[in-house]
């Protein structure tokens, strides 16, 4: 059985944000991903578009 992952195979962790800017998961989420239940992974997945938007807006504002 395969586990859904938002990974896009572009792994780069922004040290200031402590988040992967490929998939927008946090370091603890990356470390525990396979241990989360399907419901937990789905809940995190639902948050990722907003994290991506917030990250990009913050970076655009700091340039």
């Amino acid at each position: 059985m395969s586990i859904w992952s938002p990974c896009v195979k572009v792994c780069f962790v922004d040290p200031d944000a402590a988040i992967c800017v490929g998939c927008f998961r946090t370091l603890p989420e990356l470390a525990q991903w396979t241990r989360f239940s399907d419901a937990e992974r789905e809940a995190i997945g639902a948050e990722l578009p907003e994290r991506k938007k917030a990250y990009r807006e913050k970076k655009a504002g700091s340039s």
Side-chain angles (χ1 to χ4, degrees):
M1 184 171 159
S2 86
I3 295 175
W4 172 80
S5 172
C7 182
V8 295
K9 303 206 181 0
V10 178
C11 301
F12 176 78
V13 175
D14 180 325
D16 295 327
I19 198 166
C20 174
V21 296
C23 67
F24 296 92
R25 288 180 287 175
T26 65
L27 296 177
E29 289 167 349
L30 290 167
Q32 297 294 320
W33 194 254
T34 59
R35 293 182 180 98
F36 289 141
S37 69
D38 288 342
E40 289 170 318
R41 285 190 291 272
E42 288 176 24
I44 293 166
E47 295 175 8
L48 299 178
E50 185 58 36
R51 290 182 192 178
K52 179 178 180 178
K53 180 182 174 192
Y55 178 84
R56 291 192 171 166
E57 287 174 352
K58 183 176 181 180
K59 285 296 180 181
S62 66
S63 301

